[in-house]
């Protein structure tokens, strides 16, 4: 599969060994004894076979000294994509999961988020969440920040400094009756959103972009939603929000927007459903709503840990895929207690098994399919699959070097079972100890090399 058109670009490094990724046709494709080259721009220059190494080295003009050989227990996989995570909520992750969604927002989320006007506090938390997610293999993250413009900009800076690919959103909310001091006026929300977008774009970070972020329909007036739709369209930006997370929320949205046919129709009416939109949850969407997602090109973020932890509902992944709606995985920290997409992979499989217990005819989600959702599916959900998501030539090299036999790691290998079993063991048992290196756009970002203030 060597691409000679790229032979004029200098090769930065070459790896030989096992590569595992997903394609449109195949949930798990294993490339054994493959050779992959990354150019000096961080893009995949070629992917070939080990037996063709000499020919590849001549075509792409690299010496054998650039070739790194993986061991028998190592493989490369694409970096994982977290399509929905609340960066400020990382400060209390693993706690506060004892109440339903709306009470949880009032009791925990909103009071904590209101503290992020303090830039020193924000810097401390945002540094930790970016480092933690990178260490756990999240090369791309779609972040909710808070209503505070300056600390939201700080999150973008920190993601850039550590080399993470990120969409960062300043939260917009001009309605909040449960924590009244944590909201904006409609005018301030619009103006600060414009300022956030302009200043973040002006930074010209290569991998960090703004995303228009109405928190959810319940926290925004129609006037604000309409303006945010216009801002996103005029700047060709991504959009993120929440939809149909729990049944009470769905009922309240219907009461608050009686002129709309459904929760999805609320967003559609205000031009917030586009092919660059990702909506979290969607547990209670109707087939008609899913058809509208498909028509507009909007995507869903499946957040199973959060949906289980807050008892919000269970997303029927099979039905979403049947409607050909783009779907990725989200950790939804801190409604989900883990910042690792590996946890989302496991919980997604668990949820499908619960649905099977309820209906024996339900088709269980396989680990191969969950792997695709965590990688290529996530990049598709964020409309970034032209840049990342698998090992296609020309895409950025976003990758994890995994060693299932890492010393002191959580996996005991009894025998060598081949790469597919190794992948399955990593997805079900592995953690950050198995992730030796993390690359984003060709840059090795883990292990961390920069001195950082904790």
């Amino acid at each position: 599969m060597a691409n000679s058109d790229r032979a004029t670009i200098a090769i930065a490094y070459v790896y030989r060994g096992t590569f595992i990724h997903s394609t449109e046709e195949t949930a798990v494709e294993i490339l054994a004894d493959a050779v992959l080259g990354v150019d000096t721009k961080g893009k995949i220059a070629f992917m070939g076979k080990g037996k063709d190494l000499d020919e590849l080295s001549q075509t792409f003009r690299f010496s054998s000294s650039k070739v790194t050989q993986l061991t028998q227990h190592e493989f490369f996989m694409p970096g994982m994509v977290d399509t929905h995570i609340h960066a400020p909520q990382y400060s209390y992750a693993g706690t506060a999961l004892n109440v339903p969604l709306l009470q949880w927002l009032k009791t925990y989320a909103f009071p904590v988020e209101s503290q992020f006007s303090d830039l020193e506090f924000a810097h401390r938390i945002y540094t930790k969440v970016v480092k933690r997610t990178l260490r756990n293999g999240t090369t791309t993250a779609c972040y909710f920040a808070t209503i505070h413009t300056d600390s939201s900009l700080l999150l973008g800076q920190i993601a850039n400094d550590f080399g993470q690919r990120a969409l960062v959103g300043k939260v917009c909310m001009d309605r909040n009756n449960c924590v009244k001091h944590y909201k904006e006026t409609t005018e301030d929300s619009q103006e600060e959103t414009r300022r956030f977008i302009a200043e973040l774009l002006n930074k010209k970070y290569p991998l960090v972009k703004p995303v228009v972020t109405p928190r959810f329909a319940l926290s925004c007036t129609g006037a604000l939603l309409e303006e945010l739709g216009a801002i996103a369209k005029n700047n060709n930006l991504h959009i993120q929000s929440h939809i149909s997370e729990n049944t009470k929320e769905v009922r309240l949205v219907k009461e608050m927007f009686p002129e709309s046919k459904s929760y999805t129709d609320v967003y559609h009416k205000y031009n917030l459903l586009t092919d660059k939109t990702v909506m979290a949850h969607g547990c209670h969407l109707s087939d008609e709503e899913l058809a509208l997602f498909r028509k507009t090109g909007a995507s869903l973020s499946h957040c199973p840990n959060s949906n289980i932890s807050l008892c919000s509902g269970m997303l029927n992944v099979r039905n979403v895929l049947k409607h050909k709606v783009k779907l990725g995985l989200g950790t939804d920290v801190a409604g989900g207690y883990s910042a690792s997409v590996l946890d989302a992979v496991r919980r997604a499989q668990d949820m499908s098994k619960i649905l099977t217990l309820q209906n024996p005819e339900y088709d269980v989600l396989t680990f191969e399919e969950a792997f695709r959702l965590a990688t290529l599916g996530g990049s598709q959900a964020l409309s970034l699959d032209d840049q990342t998501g698998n090992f296609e030539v020309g895409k950025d090299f976003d990758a994890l070097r995994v060693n299932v036999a890492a010393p002191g790691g959580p996996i005991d290998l009894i025998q060598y079972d081949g790469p597919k079993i190794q992948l399955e063991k990593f997805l079900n048992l592995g953690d950050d100890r198995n992730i030796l290196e993390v690359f984003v756009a060709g840059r090795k970002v883990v292990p961390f090399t920069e001195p950082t203030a904790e």
Side-chain angles (χ1 to χ4, degrees), residues 364-391:
V364 172
L365 191 70
T366 66
F367 82 86
E368 294 95 335
E369 292 174 305
F371 171 77
R372 178 159 58 187
L373 292 179
T375 54
L376 181 61
S379 69
Q380 292 170 335
L382 298 182
S383 299
L384 295 173
D385 51 307
D386 60 331
Q387 303 170 48
T388 186
N390 60 13
F391 294 131

Side-chain angles (χ1 to χ4, degrees), residues 236-274:
N236 190 27
L237 293 178
H238 285 79
I239 299 164
Q240 65 176 345
S241 193
H242 302 82
I243 194 167
S244 294
E245 186 171 352
N246 83 358
T247 54
K248 183 177 180 180
E249 168 207 9
V250 174
R251 288 196 303 269
L252 289 173
V253 168
K254 188 174 183 178
E255 293 172 9
M256 195 170 288
F257 296 90
E259 72 284 359
S260 295
K261 292 185 291 184
S262 65
Y263 201 155
T264 302
D265 188 51
V266 173
Y267 291 124
H268 186 49
K269 175 183 177 181
Y270 295 113
N271 300 310
L272 289 165
L273 279 190
T274 75

Side-chain angles (χ1 to χ4, degrees), residues 2-308:
N3 185 345
S4 58
D5 293 339
R6 297 181 60 81
T8 56
I9 300 177
I11 301 301
Y13 41 85
V14 179
Y15 282 97
R16 180 177 182 177
T18 299
F19 291 79
I20 305 175
H21 72 164
S22 300
T23 68
E24 281 287 348
E25 297 76 25
T26 307
V28 169
E29 182 178 52
I30 297 172
L31 305 170
D33 191 26
V35 181
L36 180 144
V38 181
D39 66 27
T40 52
K41 294 184 178 180
K43 296 187 178 297
I44 300 170
F46 64 84
M47 171 72 87
K49 298 181 182 299
K51 65 181 180 61
D52 299 326
L53 180 60
D54 290 342
E55 180 185 342
L56 290 167
S57 67
Q58 293 174 20
T59 301
F60 291 92
R61 300 173 188 172
F62 63 87
S63 68
S64 58
S65 63
K66 284 191 179 292
V67 181
T68 299
Q69 176 70 53
L70 301 189
T71 69
Q72 184 184 46
H73 300 302
E74 291 182 349
F75 61 84
F76 267 109
M77 61 173 278
M80 291 183 283
V81 181
D82 191 341
T83 58
H84 183 71
I85 176 171
H86 292 262
Q89 294 176 13
Y90 183 69
S91 58
Y92 64 95
T95 68
L97 298 172
N98 59 316
V99 294
L101 171 67
L102 298 180
Q103 186 179 344
W104 179 83
L105 289 170
K106 176 180 180 180
T107 307
Y108 304 113
F110 291 157
V112 169
E113 290 184 26
S114 68
Q115 300 176 51
F116 279 75
S117 58
D118 181 341
L119 292 182
E120 184 177 344
F121 176 71
H123 188 277
R124 184 159 59 91
I125 303 305
Y126 287 159
T127 297
K128 288 184 180 296
V129 69
V130 170
K131 290 184 69 176
R132 179 64 63 185
T133 53
L134 275 174
R135 197 181 289 126
N136 279 278
T138 300
T139 53
T140 300
C142 191
Y143 287 117
F144 272 63
T146 66
I147 67 174
H148 310 102
T149 301
D150 292 332
S151 61
S152 300
L153 289 167
L154 182 59
L155 174 57
Q157 176 193 318
I158 292 168
N160 175 74
D161 289 347
F162 281 101
Q164 189 172 53
R165 188 184 304 274
L167 294 171
V168 176
K170 186 207 83 68
V171 170
C172 299
M173 49 191 299
D174 62 347
R175 279 202 284 216
N176 185 4
N177 294 327
C178 53
V179 181
K180 294 185 178 181
H181 65 279
Y182 185 56
K183 68 177 180 179
E184 311 160 286
T185 66
T186 305
E187 293 74 18
D188 283 348
S189 188
Q190 295 171 7
E191 290 306 312
E192 286 302 295
T193 296
R194 292 191 189 94
R195 179 168 78 88
F196 169 75
I197 292 166
E199 292 193 20
L200 189 55
L201 290 176
N202 191 53
K203 299 289 186 181
K204 299 188 182 334
Y205 296 140
L207 302 176
V208 179
K209 306 299 179 189
V211 49
V212 173
T213 307
R215 186 179 202 106
F216 64 160
L218 291 181
S219 67
C220 298
T221 60
L224 178 57
L225 291 173
E226 183 174 27
E227 183 60 26
L228 293 177
I231 290 172
K233 181 178 180 180
N234 293 338
N235 294 277
N236 190 27
L237 293 178
H238 285 79
I239 299 164
Q240 65 176 345
S241 193
H242 302 82
I243 194 167
S244 294
E245 186 171 352
N246 83 358
T247 54
K248 183 177 180 180
E249 168 207 9
V250 174
R251 288 196 303 269
L252 289 173
V253 168
K254 188 174 183 178
E255 293 172 9
M256 195 170 288
F257 296 90
E259 72 284 359
S260 295
K261 292 185 291 184
S262 65
Y263 201 155
T264 302
D265 188 51
V266 173
Y267 291 124
H268 186 49
K269 175 183 177 181
Y270 295 113
N271 300 310
L272 289 165
L273 279 190
T274 75
D275 61 1
K276 297 178 78 172
T277 295
V278 57
M279 291 283 172
H281 307 298
C283 299
H284 308 285
L285 293 174
S286 67
D287 285 351
E288 184 180 7
E289 289 176 282
L290 287 172
L292 188 53
F293 266 76
R294 170 63 176 170
K295 180 180 178 181
T296 59
S299 64
L300 282 172
S301 173
H302 180 28
C303 306
N305 187 315
S306 173
N307 296 154
I308 295 169

